Amino acid sequence: MGSPHEDAAALKNKGNDAFKAQDWPAALDYYTRAIQLCDTEPSFYTNRAQAYYRRASANTSILKHREALRDWKLVVKKAPGDANARLRMTECERIIKRDAFLKAIEVEDAPSAAEGLDIEHMALESNYDGPKLGDAMTLEFVEDMIERFKNGKKLAKKYAFQIILAVMDIIKKEPTMVEHNVDDGSEITVCGDTHGQYFDLLNIFKLAGKPSEKNAFLFNGDFVDRGSWSTEIALLLYAYKWLYPNSFFLNRGNHETDDMNRMYGFEGECRAKYTERMFKLFSESFSMLPLATLIGKKYFVLHGGLFSDDKVTLDDVRKLNRFKQRQPGQAGLMMEMLWTDPQTAPGRGPSKRGVGLQFGPDVTKRFCENNGLEAIIRSHEVRMDGYEVEHDGRCITVFSAPNYCDSTSNKGAFIKIGPEYKLEYTKFDAVPHPNIKPMAYAANGLQ
C-alpha cells in the first residue's frame, strides 16, 4: 500500500489500460477512484473526460442514444467550450425525439410500401435515355446501369422499384441459410463489406470477373451506408440477383437495418436520389435477405459471427424464421449473426461495440467440429490486408471496402472458392472516385 497519490497513479494506469482496450466503463471507474484518492491531479479529470467522450461516441455509433446523451451532457458540463461535444449532444437529443415520434406513429402489420405502387403505368422521367426494362432483367440493362452510375446518372424510378420488387420475390423464397455447392467448371467469389464504395465494387468485378452462371458471387452484408454510392451498389447487386438468381447471393449485414440506415446515410441517400418510398421498399427487402450461406457444407458464411451458446447448430440457423422479426433487436440469434466479432482470448467476452459479444478460438473450434465445418467466413470488421485468418485457420474475416471511408488506408479483399473448396485470396487497393465525401447523406452528427 503506497501513499494516496501513488495508489491514485496506479488506478490511473489501470484506467489507461482499460481505455486502450476500449473498455470505457472500467476506465471511468478507475479514473473516478483515482480522483477520490487524489482530487488535485488534473490528468485524472482530463482522462476521465476523454473516457466519457469515447463512451458517448461508442454509444452513438451503435444507436444507444439515451445512454450517449447522458455522457454528452457530462462532457459538455465538464468542457462547456467543446463545440463538437455540444453539437453531438444536440443531435442526440434530436434523434431521440425523432425515434420517439416514429415509435408513436408505428403501426403493427403496416401495409407494404409496394401496396398501390402501379409500376405498369408509371411514366419514365423525361431525361431517362437508357434501355427499356421488360419482365426480365437483361445483361444489356445491367451493363447500361453500370455506365449510367459511373457517370453520375440515376436509374428511372420505375425501373428501380421494379428491380427491388423482383428481388423481393426471389429472396423471400430462399431459406434463411442458403446452401450452395461449387460444381465442376464453376467458382464462387465471397466479398465482405462494400459500404457504398461503388467504384471499388466495379474494381472487384474487374479483378474477379463479372458475375455469370459459372462465376458465382456472395456479398456478405453491409452493402450500404457510410459510402455515398449506396443506392448504386444496392441496385446493381439487386439487378445481378435478378439476372442470376441461382449464382448470385446476398447475406444480410448489420447495416441492412432501419436504425443503421437512418444514421449512416442510406435513408438520406434514397431520399436525395429517389424517394422515401424507395427507402421503405429497400428496408422491406433487407428484412427478407438470408442471414447465412453454407458453401459445400464446408464454409459457414455470415456477416458477424458465432453465438452465445455452444448448443446452436446449423439446423438452428436453418429453422430460424427471419420473417418473424424484421429488425435484429438487441438479443437473439439474428442479432448475434449480424453483430458478433472474434477475439484472441478463449471463451466469450463483452463486445467492444456494445452490441453482441466476442468469441474465442475455442468457441470457433467447437462450432466447426460440431457442424462438420472447415471454417467460418465472416466480415463486419476492417482488416488492413483486406482479410485475416485467425482461430487456427477456422475463422476468416474478409472486408471488401479498401481505404474505408477514405481514411483507413486498408486494402480490400475477396475470396475465390472452386470445386476443390480451396480458398484463394486476392487483395486490392482503392480506386479513384468522384469528389463526394463518405457520409455525405448521414445524420448531421456523424458527418
Side-chain angles (χ1 to χ4, degrees):
M1 193 84 174
S3 67
H5 190 276
E6 289 171 337
D7 291 343
L11 288 167
K12 174 193 168 183
N13 290 335
K14 289 183 178 179
N16 291 347
D17 290 339
F19 191 98
K20 289 174 187 174
Q22 300 179 34
D23 186 349
W24 316 124
L28 286 165
D29 178 62
Y30 285 126
Y31 293 143
T32 299
R33 287 162 60 192
I35 289 168
Q36 290 168 347
L37 284 176
C38 181
D39 61 6
T40 58
E41 174 53 53
S43 66
F44 298 167
Y45 292 93
T46 56
N47 286 16
R48 186 171 68 172
Q50 280 295 313
Y52 276 125
Y53 198 104
R54 293 297 182 89
R55 188 171 72 174
S57 297
N59 278 326
T60 299
S61 71
I62 59 171
L63 313 183
K64 290 186 175 180
H65 300 299
R66 292 188 182 279
E67 292 89 336
L69 181 59
R70 286 196 289 269
D71 284 342
W72 287 127
K73 285 181 175 179
L74 279 167
V75 173
V76 169
K77 182 179 179 181
K78 301 295 184 184
D82 189 329
N84 185 57
R86 188 171 293 278
L87 173 67
R88 298 190 71 174
M89 179 185 74
T90 302
E91 180 64 14
C92 215
E93 290 173 328
R94 185 190 69 79
I95 290 167
I96 289 170
K97 289 177 182 176
R98 181 206 65 190
D99 289 349
F101 172 73
L102 290 173
K103 188 170 181 61
I105 65 172
E106 192 175 76
V107 178
E108 281 193 31
D109 301 320
S112 166
E115 192 168 301
L117 197 59
D118 188 357
I119 298 287
E120 184 179 352
H121 297 100
M122 190 177 292
L124 299 175
E125 288 84 350
S126 59
N127 63 348
Y128 178 73
D129 55 359
K132 300 291 191 291
L133 179 60
D135 294 331
M137 180 56 64
T138 66
L139 188 56
E140 176 199 13
F141 193 91
V142 172
E143 295 290 347
D144 180 79
M145 279 178 68
I146 289 172
E147 292 303 312
R148 179 172 299 280
F149 292 159
K150 276 171 65 176
N151 295 320
K153 295 182 178 181
K154 291 182 288 189
L155 195 61
K157 292 185 183 72
K158 171 177 179 170
Y159 295 151
F161 280 125
Q162 192 176 348
I163 289 168
I164 302 169
L165 289 171
V167 169
M168 287 169 71
D169 283 340
I170 294 168
I171 60 178
K172 70 184 178 185
K173 297 170 187 172
E174 291 183 323
T176 295
M177 183 177 73
V178 172
E179 302 190 39
H180 177 75
N181 295 318
V182 185
D183 296 329
D184 288 342
S186 300
E187 59 185 7
I188 186 168
T189 301
V190 180
C191 299
D193 305 35
T194 50
H195 274 305
Q197 296 185 198
Y198 177 73
F199 295 87
D200 294 309
L201 172 65
L202 297 188
N203 191 38
I204 291 173
F205 292 142
K206 179 180 177 181
L207 296 170
K210 290 182 179 178
S212 69
E213 291 177 355
K214 295 289 187 182
N215 192 31
F217 275 82
L218 166 59
F219 283 85
N220 194 28
D222 283 14
F223 330 123
V224 300
D225 283 340
R226 299 193 187 274
S228 295
W229 290 271
S230 291
T231 56
E232 287 81 0
I233 282 192
L235 286 168
L236 180 57
L237 295 183
Y238 273 27
Y240 271 128
K241 179 64 181 174
W242 189 5
L243 184 61
Y244 302 118
N246 299 315
S247 59
F248 197 91
F249 306 104
L250 302 169
N251 283 346
R252 189 179 189 179
N254 67 303
H255 276 267
E256 279 71 54
T257 55
D258 286 356
D259 287 346
M260 302 300 279
N261 293 160
R262 289 192 184 109
M263 285 296 293
Y264 291 99
F266 185 58
E267 181 184 40
E269 187 178 334
C270 284
R271 285 177 170 173
K273 294 179 180 178
Y274 295 96
T275 65
E276 182 170 352
R277 191 174 196 175
M278 188 81 71
F279 168 70
K280 289 181 177 178
L281 201 61
F282 263 126
S283 169
E284 285 184 45
S285 74
F286 290 165
S287 71
M288 296 177 181
L289 287 168
L291 301 178
T293 301
L294 182 64
I295 299 178
K297 301 191 184 334
K298 293 176 178 290
Y299 301 108
F300 179 53
V301 188
L302 73 171
H303 182 71
L306 295 180
F307 308 97
S308 56
D309 188 341
D310 279 341
K311 294 178 182 177
V312 175
T313 67
L314 293 183
D315 275 340
D316 293 310
V317 177
R318 289 185 180 99
K319 295 171 186 174
L320 179 61
N321 183 358
R322 69 188 190 275
F323 303 108
K324 188 176 180 180
Q325 179 184 345
R326 278 193 56 190
Q327 303 301 321
Q330 295 290 314
L333 291 189
M334 185 189 296
M335 181 279 292
E336 292 176 355
M337 293 176 74
L338 299 185
W339 277 97
T340 61
D341 298 296
Q343 64 181 21
T344 55
R348 294 176 173 88
S351 172
K352 292 178 181 178
R353 301 174 188 269
V355 177
L357 54 93
Q358 295 186 162
F359 58 94
D362 55 328
V363 175
T364 303
K365 182 175 185 285
R366 287 193 296 271
F367 183 82
C368 288
E369 289 178 348
N370 291 343
N371 292 280
L373 299 169
E374 288 196 13
I376 68 163
I377 300 174
R378 42 91 62 184
S379 302
H380 196 40
E381 292 180 289
V382 176
R383 292 294 190 261
M384 293 309 294
D385 283 331
Y387 74 95
E388 184 176 3
V389 180
E390 48 194 322
H391 290 189
D392 299 317
R394 300 197 108 159
C395 179
I396 298 149
T397 298
V398 60
F399 192 84
S400 303
N403 195 26
Y404 180 47
C405 289
D406 288 356
S407 62
T408 315
S409 300
N410 62 292
K411 292 183 182 295
F414 56 79
I415 306 170
K416 275 195 175 291
I417 306 174
E420 300 299 321
Y421 295 103
K422 303 301 182 187
L423 306 184
E424 179 186 327
Y425 302 93
T426 298
K427 298 188 290 186
F428 58 93
D429 292 313
V431 297
H433 62 72
N435 188 25
I436 300 174
K437 301 294 185 188
M439 306 285 279
Y441 302 95
N444 291 338
L446 294 175
Q447 285 182 22

